[in-house]
Amino acid sequence: MATHDLLYEGKAKKVWGTAEPHEVAMEFKDDATAQNGLKRGQILDKGRVNARVTALLFDYLGTEGLPTHFIRQLDERTLLVRRLGMIPLEVIVRNVVAGSLHARTGILEGTELSAPLVEIYYKNDALGDPLFNDEHVAMMDAASPEELSRMKDMARSVNRHLQSFFLARRLILVDFKLEFGKIGSELILGDEITPDTCRLWDADTKKKLDKDRFRQDLGGVEDAYHEVLRRVEL
Ligand code: TMP
């Protein structure tokens, strides 16, 4: 399928227009960044892995009744998706303490939470994506209270489905980030779900199989991404 103009280029993806105004093509890049862009690099074959992982996970969530923007895979690293009006929030769900939750609370990495924790961040690179509460969301008019509540409910539902999907493949879903958009008044899951946007640990060894290997210079980054794809394809 011929793509048209480059509509947007982010740190890990390019979004292209298509002949159909309600659809866009999302191309996954090998580029990787961390620390809000301070650390930059490439992860060989990441674009292909992330496109495939997102396609398979969104296909699974779709069959479970969760609306996503995914239509079909166009080529190795490109997905055709519905064009959404994006909500400028990141919804993070956590099952196990890691990353910024460890940094903010001092609770030991690896501590299991008694219930999933849902957090909202404001998508703004210049501000470093700050943590927002419901009142900040309302003040900034980033989403209505009803939309925020629905996003949190959908994020909890995605978490339940993905936790069981990954556990069946001996992977622990530590935490992950979602982005939502709208078509009319309908809220739809957008963006990606990949080892860039999830923390995934091997259930038996607790080995990190996600972007933390890049963030923390742990080595074996490409192998970890390939291992996640192998298990998601099972
Ligand atoms: P954090 O511990 O750094 O807040 O990250 C929590 C999860 O969200 C982790 O799986 C990585 C993901 N994430 C993104 O995908 N994009 C982001 O901009 C941030 C801050 C986190």
Side-chain angles (χ1 to χ4, degrees):
M1 177 193 206
T3 50
H4 292 239
D5 303 339
L6 181 63
L7 300 178
Y8 163 83
E9 179 158 7
K11 286 172 273 191
K13 293 191 291 293
K14 289 179 184 174
V15 177
W16 301 90
T18 69
E20 162 58 59
H22 302 296
E23 297 173 357
V24 294
M26 199 165 72
E27 179 190 339
F28 289 74
K29 306 195 290 186
D30 289 349
D31 299 346
T33 63
Q35 296 140 29
N36 201 26
L38 280 179
K39 179 178 165 76
R40 286 168 190 278
Q42 289 229 322
I43 299 173
L44 199 70
D45 209 27
K46 175 168 85 76
R48 183 184 69 87
V49 169
N50 282 358
R52 192 76 197 127
V53 168
T54 297
L56 292 167
L57 293 179
F58 278 8
D59 192 48
Y60 164 69
L61 292 172
T63 62
E64 296 292 320
L66 283 149
T68 83
H69 68 161
F70 177 63
I71 301 171
R72 64 189 158 86
Q73 186 153 7
L74 292 176
D75 64 34
E76 266 199 344
R77 52 179 68 225
T78 312
L79 308 185
L80 185 67
V81 302
R82 293 193 279 171
R83 188 195 285 254
L84 307 181
M86 293 308 291
I87 292 174
L89 298 173
E90 298 189 341
V91 181
I92 287 181
V93 185
R94 303 178 186 270
N95 300 305
V96 177
V97 174
S100 71
L101 184 62
H102 161 71
R104 183 172 301 113
T105 62
I107 302 170
L108 215 58
E109 182 181 81
T111 306
E112 269 182 54
L113 299 174
S114 54
L117 179 71
V118 179
E119 296 175 333
I120 305 295
Y121 293 80
Y122 184 48
K123 247 183 99 69
N124 185 311
D125 280 342
L127 300 175
D129 296 346
L131 180 64
F132 265 23
N133 67 20
D134 292 17
E135 296 189 27
H136 292 108
V137 172
M139 183 200 76
M140 296 296 281
D141 209 15
S144 72
E146 295 73 27
E147 286 166 351
L148 182 57
S149 159
R150 174 101 181 102
M151 277 191 285
K152 289 184 188 177
D153 286 348
M154 283 172 71
R156 286 194 175 87
S157 177
V158 169
N159 184 48
R160 285 190 293 272
H161 285 100
L162 289 186
Q163 267 192 311
S164 62
F165 180 95
F166 282 125
L167 201 54
R169 290 155 177 82
R170 302 305 295 155
L171 288 168
I172 296 169
L173 180 60
V174 171
D175 57 33
F176 61 99
K177 185 260 304 181
L178 299 176
E179 295 185 27
F180 292 87
K182 293 200 300 179
I183 297 177
S185 60
E186 192 193 0
L187 268 178
I188 292 164
L189 189 55
D191 198 50
E192 62 176 273
I193 302 179
T194 65
D196 277 9
T197 64
C198 298
R199 286 195 174 92
L200 294 164
W201 295 353
D202 181 274
D204 301 305
T205 64
K206 304 292 190 294
K207 182 179 177 184
K208 294 175 179 177
L209 294 172
D210 55 59
K211 195 175 164 188
D212 271 354
R213 303 206 73 81
F214 171 80
R215 294 185 189 103
Q216 301 170 8
D217 293 317
L218 299 175
V221 187
E222 283 87 2
D223 287 350
Y225 277 66
H226 284 137
E227 180 61 18
V228 169
L229 175 58
R230 192 185 69 77
R231 297 196 200 183
V232 167
E233 279 178 331
L234 286 176

Short mmCIF file of all heavy atoms in Angstrom, two decimals, residues 11 90-94 98-102 104 119 121 123 125 128-129 174-179 191 194-200 210-212 215, ligand 1:
data_model
loop_
_atom_site.label_atom_id
_atom_site.label_comp_id
_atom_site.label_asym_id
_atom_site.label_seq_id
_atom_site.Cartn_x
_atom_site.Cartn_y
_atom_site.Cartn_z
N LYS A 11 10.08 9.44 18.79
CA LYS A 11 11.36 8.83 19.12
C LYS A 11 11.45 7.40 18.59
O LYS A 11 12.52 6.95 18.21
CB LYS A 11 11.57 8.88 20.64
CG LYS A 11 11.91 10.29 21.12
CD LYS A 11 11.93 10.41 22.63
CE LYS A 11 10.56 10.71 23.16
NZ LYS A 11 10.51 11.10 24.56
N GLU A 90 -0.53 9.74 29.40
CA GLU A 90 -0.02 8.37 29.42
C GLU A 90 -0.62 7.70 30.64
O GLU A 90 -0.58 8.26 31.74
CB GLU A 90 1.51 8.37 29.53
CG GLU A 90 2.18 9.04 28.33
CD GLU A 90 3.69 8.86 28.31
OE1 GLU A 90 4.27 8.55 29.36
OE2 GLU A 90 4.28 9.05 27.23
N VAL A 91 -1.20 6.54 30.43
CA VAL A 91 -1.80 5.79 31.54
C VAL A 91 -0.86 4.63 31.85
O VAL A 91 -0.61 3.79 30.99
CB VAL A 91 -3.20 5.27 31.16
CG1 VAL A 91 -3.82 4.52 32.34
CG2 VAL A 91 -4.10 6.43 30.73
N ILE A 92 -0.33 4.61 33.05
CA ILE A 92 0.61 3.55 33.44
C ILE A 92 -0.05 2.66 34.48
O ILE A 92 -0.68 3.16 35.42
CB ILE A 92 1.94 4.16 33.94
CG1 ILE A 92 2.71 4.73 32.73
CG2 ILE A 92 2.78 3.11 34.69
CD1 ILE A 92 4.05 5.34 33.03
N VAL A 93 0.03 1.36 34.26
CA VAL A 93 -0.49 0.39 35.22
C VAL A 93 0.69 -0.41 35.76
O VAL A 93 1.56 -0.84 35.00
CB VAL A 93 -1.50 -0.58 34.56
CG1 VAL A 93 -2.12 -1.51 35.60
CG2 VAL A 93 -2.60 0.19 33.83
N ARG A 94 0.72 -0.59 37.08
CA ARG A 94 1.83 -1.30 37.72
C ARG A 94 1.32 -2.45 38.59
O ARG A 94 0.36 -2.27 39.35
CB ARG A 94 2.61 -0.34 38.62
CG ARG A 94 3.15 0.87 37.91
CD ARG A 94 3.86 1.78 38.89
NE ARG A 94 4.27 3.03 38.26
CZ ARG A 94 5.45 3.21 37.66
NH1 ARG A 94 6.34 2.24 37.61
NH2 ARG A 94 5.74 4.37 37.11
N ALA A 98 8.86 -1.04 40.31
CA ALA A 98 10.08 -0.88 39.49
C ALA A 98 10.14 0.57 39.04
O ALA A 98 9.19 1.34 39.26
CB ALA A 98 10.05 -1.82 38.28
N GLY A 99 11.24 0.94 38.42
CA GLY A 99 11.37 2.23 37.74
C GLY A 99 11.03 3.41 38.63
O GLY A 99 11.51 3.53 39.76
N SER A 100 10.20 4.30 38.09
CA SER A 100 9.93 5.57 38.80
C SER A 100 9.11 5.36 40.06
O SER A 100 9.14 6.20 40.96
CB SER A 100 9.25 6.58 37.86
OG SER A 100 7.93 6.21 37.59
N LEU A 101 8.38 4.25 40.17
CA LEU A 101 7.64 4.01 41.43
C LEU A 101 8.62 3.67 42.55
O LEU A 101 8.46 4.11 43.69
CB LEU A 101 6.61 2.89 41.26
CG LEU A 101 5.74 2.64 42.50
CD1 LEU A 101 4.90 3.88 42.87
CD2 LEU A 101 4.82 1.43 42.30
N HIS A 102 9.65 2.91 42.22
CA HIS A 102 10.72 2.63 43.19
C HIS A 102 11.40 3.95 43.58
O HIS A 102 11.62 4.22 44.77
CB HIS A 102 11.73 1.64 42.59
CG HIS A 102 13.04 1.64 43.29
ND1 HIS A 102 13.21 1.11 44.56
CD2 HIS A 102 14.25 2.13 42.93
CE1 HIS A 102 14.47 1.27 44.94
NE2 HIS A 102 15.12 1.89 43.97
N ARG A 104 10.22 6.98 43.46
CA ARG A 104 9.34 7.93 44.15
C ARG A 104 9.04 7.49 45.58
O ARG A 104 8.81 8.33 46.45
CB ARG A 104 8.04 8.07 43.36
CG ARG A 104 7.06 9.09 43.93
CD ARG A 104 5.87 9.34 43.02
NE ARG A 104 6.31 9.83 41.73
CZ ARG A 104 6.19 9.15 40.58
NH1 ARG A 104 5.62 7.97 40.56
NH2 ARG A 104 6.64 9.66 39.46
N GLU A 119 -1.56 5.08 37.20
CA GLU A 119 -1.04 6.45 37.28
C GLU A 119 -1.29 7.17 35.96
O GLU A 119 -1.31 6.54 34.90
CB GLU A 119 0.48 6.44 37.52
CG GLU A 119 0.92 5.83 38.82
CD GLU A 119 2.45 5.74 38.90
OE1 GLU A 119 3.12 5.67 37.87
OE2 GLU A 119 2.95 5.75 40.02
N TYR A 121 0.12 10.36 33.56
CA TYR A 121 1.19 11.32 33.27
C TYR A 121 0.74 12.21 32.12
O TYR A 121 0.03 11.75 31.22
CB TYR A 121 2.49 10.61 32.90
CG TYR A 121 3.12 9.83 34.04
CD1 TYR A 121 2.63 8.57 34.39
CD2 TYR A 121 4.17 10.35 34.77
CE1 TYR A 121 3.19 7.86 35.45
CE2 TYR A 121 4.74 9.64 35.83
CZ TYR A 121 4.24 8.40 36.17
OH TYR A 121 4.79 7.70 37.21
N LYS A 123 1.50 14.03 28.76
CA LYS A 123 2.44 13.83 27.65
C LYS A 123 3.00 15.16 27.20
O LYS A 123 2.32 15.91 26.48
CB LYS A 123 1.70 13.18 26.48
CG LYS A 123 2.15 11.78 26.18
CD LYS A 123 1.44 11.21 24.97
CE LYS A 123 2.30 11.31 23.74
NZ LYS A 123 3.46 10.43 23.75
N ASP A 125 7.06 16.35 26.38
CA ASP A 125 8.51 16.11 26.47
C ASP A 125 9.24 17.26 27.17
O ASP A 125 10.13 17.04 27.97
CB ASP A 125 9.11 15.92 25.07
CG ASP A 125 8.87 14.51 24.54
OD1 ASP A 125 8.57 13.61 25.36
OD2 ASP A 125 8.98 14.32 23.31
N GLY A 128 9.03 16.88 30.65
CA GLY A 128 9.46 15.57 31.16
C GLY A 128 8.30 14.69 31.58
O GLY A 128 8.43 13.88 32.51
N ASP A 129 7.15 14.80 30.91
CA ASP A 129 5.97 13.95 31.20
C ASP A 129 5.66 13.88 32.69
O ASP A 129 5.79 12.81 33.31
CB ASP A 129 6.18 12.52 30.64
CG ASP A 129 6.29 12.47 29.13
OD1 ASP A 129 5.96 13.46 28.47
OD2 ASP A 129 6.73 11.43 28.62
N VAL A 174 5.25 -6.54 34.74
CA VAL A 174 5.58 -5.68 35.89
C VAL A 174 4.80 -4.37 35.82
O VAL A 174 4.13 -3.97 36.78
CB VAL A 174 7.11 -5.42 35.92
CG1 VAL A 174 7.48 -4.36 36.95
CG2 VAL A 174 7.84 -6.72 36.19
N ASP A 175 4.88 -3.71 34.68
CA ASP A 175 4.14 -2.46 34.46
C ASP A 175 4.09 -2.18 32.96
O ASP A 175 4.77 -2.84 32.18
CB ASP A 175 4.76 -1.27 35.23
CG ASP A 175 6.23 -1.03 34.88
OD1 ASP A 175 6.62 -1.27 33.72
OD2 ASP A 175 7.00 -0.61 35.77
N PHE A 176 3.26 -1.23 32.58
CA PHE A 176 3.18 -0.86 31.17
C PHE A 176 2.49 0.49 31.03
O PHE A 176 1.82 0.96 31.94
CB PHE A 176 2.45 -1.92 30.33
CG PHE A 176 1.02 -2.16 30.74
CD1 PHE A 176 -0.03 -1.56 30.05
CD2 PHE A 176 0.73 -2.98 31.82
CE1 PHE A 176 -1.35 -1.78 30.43
CE2 PHE A 176 -0.59 -3.20 32.20
CZ PHE A 176 -1.63 -2.60 31.52
N LYS A 177 2.65 1.06 29.82
CA LYS A 177 2.09 2.37 29.51
C LYS A 177 1.11 2.26 28.35
O LYS A 177 1.39 1.57 27.36
CB LYS A 177 3.25 3.31 29.13
CG LYS A 177 2.88 4.74 28.89
CD LYS A 177 2.73 5.14 27.45
CE LYS A 177 3.90 4.89 26.56
NZ LYS A 177 3.66 5.33 25.17
N LEU A 178 -0.03 2.91 28.48
CA LEU A 178 -1.01 2.96 27.40
C LEU A 178 -1.29 4.40 27.00
O LEU A 178 -1.13 5.32 27.82
CB LEU A 178 -2.35 2.34 27.86
CG LEU A 178 -2.35 0.88 28.27
CD1 LEU A 178 -3.74 0.48 28.77
CD2 LEU A 178 -1.91 -0.03 27.14
N GLU A 179 -1.69 4.56 25.74
CA GLU A 179 -2.19 5.87 25.29
C GLU A 179 -3.54 5.64 24.62
O GLU A 179 -3.73 4.63 23.94
CB GLU A 179 -1.20 6.52 24.32
CG GLU A 179 0.11 6.86 25.03
CD GLU A 179 1.10 7.61 24.15
OE1 GLU A 179 0.65 8.32 23.21
OE2 GLU A 179 2.30 7.50 24.41
N ASP A 191 -1.51 3.82 20.02
CA ASP A 191 -0.07 3.69 20.20
C ASP A 191 0.39 2.23 20.10
O ASP A 191 0.06 1.57 19.12
CB ASP A 191 0.34 4.34 21.53
CG ASP A 191 1.82 4.64 21.62
OD1 ASP A 191 2.35 5.26 20.69
OD2 ASP A 191 2.44 4.27 22.63
N THR A 194 4.66 -2.92 23.67
CA THR A 194 5.91 -3.55 23.24
C THR A 194 6.88 -3.64 24.42
O THR A 194 6.62 -3.06 25.47
CB THR A 194 6.58 -2.67 22.15
OG1 THR A 194 6.95 -1.42 22.76
CG2 THR A 194 5.67 -2.40 20.97
N PRO A 195 8.02 -4.29 24.23
CA PRO A 195 9.03 -4.27 25.30
C PRO A 195 9.62 -2.86 25.54
O PRO A 195 10.33 -2.67 26.52
CB PRO A 195 10.12 -5.23 24.80
CG PRO A 195 9.45 -6.07 23.78
CD PRO A 195 8.41 -5.21 23.14
N ASP A 196 9.32 -1.89 24.66
CA ASP A 196 9.67 -0.49 24.94
C ASP A 196 8.75 0.09 26.01
O ASP A 196 9.15 0.97 26.77
CB ASP A 196 9.48 0.39 23.69
CG ASP A 196 10.68 0.35 22.74
OD1 ASP A 196 11.58 -0.48 22.94
OD2 ASP A 196 10.68 1.15 21.79
N THR A 197 7.49 -0.34 26.00
CA THR A 197 6.47 0.32 26.83
C THR A 197 5.95 -0.56 27.97
O THR A 197 5.02 -0.17 28.67
CB THR A 197 5.26 0.77 25.97
OG1 THR A 197 4.63 -0.39 25.42
CG2 THR A 197 5.70 1.70 24.84
N CYS A 198 6.52 -1.77 28.09
CA CYS A 198 6.17 -2.68 29.18
C CYS A 198 7.45 -3.08 29.91
O CYS A 198 8.50 -3.17 29.29
CB CYS A 198 5.61 -4.01 28.67
SG CYS A 198 4.11 -3.93 27.73
N ARG A 199 7.33 -3.39 31.18
CA ARG A 199 8.40 -4.18 31.83
C ARG A 199 7.92 -5.61 31.90
O ARG A 199 6.84 -5.88 32.41
CB ARG A 199 8.72 -3.64 33.23
CG ARG A 199 9.48 -2.34 33.21
CD ARG A 199 10.11 -1.99 34.57
NE ARG A 199 10.93 -0.80 34.44
CZ ARG A 199 10.49 0.45 34.65
NH1 ARG A 199 9.24 0.64 35.04
NH2 ARG A 199 11.29 1.47 34.49
N LEU A 200 8.76 -6.51 31.38
CA LEU A 200 8.44 -7.94 31.35
C LEU A 200 9.62 -8.71 31.93
O LEU A 200 10.75 -8.53 31.49
CB LEU A 200 8.21 -8.37 29.89
CG LEU A 200 6.99 -7.76 29.21
CD1 LEU A 200 7.07 -7.94 27.69
CD2 LEU A 200 5.71 -8.39 29.75
N ASP A 210 13.12 -6.51 28.62
CA ASP A 210 12.46 -5.31 28.12
C ASP A 210 13.49 -4.18 28.00
O ASP A 210 14.69 -4.41 28.16
CB ASP A 210 11.33 -4.91 29.07
CG ASP A 210 11.86 -4.74 30.48
OD1 ASP A 210 12.76 -3.91 30.69
OD2 ASP A 210 11.40 -5.48 31.39
N LYS A 211 13.00 -2.98 27.75
CA LYS A 211 13.87 -1.84 27.50
C LYS A 211 14.76 -1.46 28.68
O LYS A 211 15.73 -0.72 28.49
CB LYS A 211 13.02 -0.64 27.06
CG LYS A 211 13.81 0.48 26.42
CD LYS A 211 12.86 1.55 25.92
CE LYS A 211 13.56 2.84 25.63
NZ LYS A 211 12.57 3.90 25.34
N ASP A 212 14.48 -1.96 29.87
CA ASP A 212 15.39 -1.71 31.00
C ASP A 212 16.80 -2.22 30.69
O ASP A 212 17.78 -1.69 31.22
CB ASP A 212 14.87 -2.34 32.30
CG ASP A 212 13.96 -1.38 33.08
OD1 ASP A 212 13.84 -0.20 32.67
OD2 ASP A 212 13.37 -1.82 34.09
N ARG A 215 18.06 0.81 29.01
CA ARG A 215 18.14 1.94 29.96
C ARG A 215 19.28 1.76 30.95
O ARG A 215 19.96 2.71 31.31
CB ARG A 215 16.83 2.05 30.77
CG ARG A 215 15.60 2.41 29.97
CD ARG A 215 14.39 2.62 30.90
NE ARG A 215 13.15 2.77 30.15
CZ ARG A 215 12.25 1.80 30.02
NH1 ARG A 215 12.42 0.63 30.61
NH2 ARG A 215 11.17 2.01 29.31
P1 TMP B 1 8.46 4.35 34.78
O1 TMP B 1 8.75 3.38 35.88
O2 TMP B 1 9.68 4.95 34.17
O3 TMP B 1 7.45 5.39 35.20
O4 TMP B 1 7.78 3.52 33.60
C1 TMP B 1 6.66 2.69 33.82
C2 TMP B 1 6.34 1.91 32.56
O5 TMP B 1 5.86 2.76 31.54
C3 TMP B 1 7.53 1.17 31.96
O6 TMP B 1 7.10 -0.09 31.51
C4 TMP B 1 7.97 2.02 30.81
C5 TMP B 1 6.69 2.71 30.39
N1 TMP B 1 6.89 4.08 29.94
C6 TMP B 1 6.76 4.39 28.58
O7 TMP B 1 6.49 3.52 27.77
N2 TMP B 1 6.95 5.68 28.19
C7 TMP B 1 7.23 6.69 29.05
O8 TMP B 1 7.37 7.86 28.64
C8 TMP B 1 7.36 6.35 30.46
C9 TMP B 1 7.70 7.41 31.46
C10 TMP B 1 7.19 5.05 30.83
#
